Structures are given as C-alpha cells and as structure tokens.
Amino acid sequence: MLFRSAVAAFEVALEEDQNEQFWQTLIEANLWMLGSGNVALLDERRLDIKNIADLPVAIEGGFMDIVELKRPGLPFWARRQSGETVLYRDKYLVPNFELAGAIAQTSHYILQAEKKVADSDFQKTHGITPLKPRGLVIHGRSHNWGEEQWEAFRLLNDHLHGLQVMTFDHLLAQAKRADRKSTRLNSSHLGI
C-alpha cells in the first residue's frame, strides 16, 4: 500500500509540475523508485566544498551513485522561441540547454566524487567508496514522444559514459512496475 500511495502522489505532482525540492523529498522518501540497487541515501550531500549533489545514494557493494533531479515541466528537446523543435542540420534532435547543463553538472559531480576514492575519511564518514560512481539525470517528460524522439533518446543515452538520462515518465513507469511486483509478492505471500 505504501508503494501505491507514493505512485499516486507522484502522478498528482507530475501534473502540477512541482519544483526540484519537492521531487527530491518525494524520491528521498521512496528510493525504491530508483531501483533495487539503490539501498540508502547518503547523510551528507556535499561532495566537496563547492559541490552538493541532489541525491547521492549508496548502492549494493558499498559504492555510490549520484542522482540529479530537474523538473518534469522542463522541455527535453531544444526548442526555438517559436516553439518549433530544433533539428541540427534539419535532421537530429538536440537536447534542451537545461538538460545539457544537467548532464555536464552530473559529470562534474562524478569527477569530484571520484577524487575521494582514496580518501579514508570520506569512506568512513559516508560508509561507501566512490569508485566509478554512475550518474542518473531525471529531466522532463516523454509521455507524448513519437518514434523520432525515442530514437534520439536512445542515441543520447548510448553516447553517455557512466551516466544515464531518464524522464519523469520513465521513473513513474518504473515505480508502477515496482508497485505491481510488490502487490503480486504480497498476494502470493498471503496466499491470495
């Protein structure tokens, strides 16, 4: 039931285009939405004196990943002031400037975390080793995409190294799958 109420809150917030702080709080309270490998939120978000990650998470094996949240209302693909989609050389979709910035920001956070890999104080304080942290950027929506957008999305993620981009619709679908799985497991456990 906990999963179901979190999914319902997610769906309402998605339509309201809540701010990053709202999403940070919701996902922080429901790390299961990110997948079973994310086991805990780190107590300290600060990677160093200048860099504070949205959701640094401990993952299985004692390592860390970094989740960067934007907003669902931000465009995923670049648009001109007229609203027309930007196509590079009239053929290729281009990520929105905010998305490109979030990717650069997350890449920088990964670099800063990697610098702490041999820092025993960091490892003692956080209880993890920042060995090759992966990044996850959650940005925009994909509910009304067509074939062209899905193909461009696949290509975008393919060329990223150690970093994945997903939309809030992807995260919602993942949360719904976890909810269904939990319901099935509980039903079979109860003999229903």
Side-chain angles (χ1 to χ4, degrees):
M1 204 54 133
L2 171 68
F3 284 15
R4 184 144 306 135
S5 63
V7 167
F10 190 114
E11 289 177 314
V12 168
L14 197 57
E15 296 307 317
E16 295 173 348
D17 190 27
Q18 293 286 347
N19 64 25
E20 288 179 32
Q21 181 59 47
F22 172 87
W23 291 106
Q24 192 171 331
T25 302
L26 179 73
I27 294 169
E28 203 174 285
N30 298 284
L31 282 179
W32 56 268
M33 289 181 179
L34 297 173
S36 62
N38 297 289
V39 295
L41 182 67
L42 298 183
D43 291 336
E44 175 63 47
R45 295 174 197 272
R46 187 175 298 280
L47 300 172
D48 60 23
I49 197 159
K50 296 179 183 177
N51 297 285
I52 302 172
D54 285 348
L55 296 173
V57 293
I59 62 167
E60 294 169 337
F63 301 105
M64 82 179 285
D65 283 348
I66 298 170
V67 179
E68 181 62 28
L69 300 169
K70 293 309 175 191
R71 288 191 354 259
L74 293 173
F76 197 91
W77 304 110
R79 297 195 172 279
R80 300 187 192 289
Q81 285 183 344
S82 66
E84 176 187 16
T85 303
V86 173
L87 295 175
Y88 177 72
R89 297 193 174 192
D90 295 325
K91 296 180 193 174
Y92 310 106
L93 286 169
V94 177
N96 176 275
F97 179 77
E98 288 290 327
L99 175 55
I103 291 168
Q105 179 182 17
T106 306
S107 294
H108 181 76
Y109 287 166
I110 290 168
L111 174 66
Q112 296 312 309
E114 284 180 326
K115 290 178 180 178
K116 304 288 186 181
V117 75
D119 183 341
S120 60
D121 288 338
F122 184 89
Q123 293 175 21
K124 285 177 193 171
T125 302
H126 294 82
I128 54 92
T129 302
L131 177 66
K132 297 294 183 190
R134 294 170 300 188
L136 173 64
V137 175
I138 304 171
H139 176 102
R141 300 210 49 198
S142 56
H143 65 291
N144 60 358
W145 283 2
E147 185 178 336
E148 180 182 33
Q149 288 86 3
W150 284 109
E151 183 178 293
F153 174 75
R154 182 72 176 184
L155 293 172
L156 170 69
N157 270 309
D158 182 61
H159 90 270
L160 297 173
H161 179 74
L163 198 147
Q164 177 187 2
V165 175
M166 70 183 337
T167 68
F168 282 85
D169 293 299
H170 293 115
L171 186 60
L172 176 60
Q174 189 166 289
K176 285 180 175 181
R177 283 191 299 275
D179 176 41
R180 285 192 300 272
K181 182 177 180 181
S182 171
T183 301
R184 279 194 312 273
L185 288 173
N186 286 335
S187 296
S188 66
H189 177 69
L190 297 172
I192 298 174

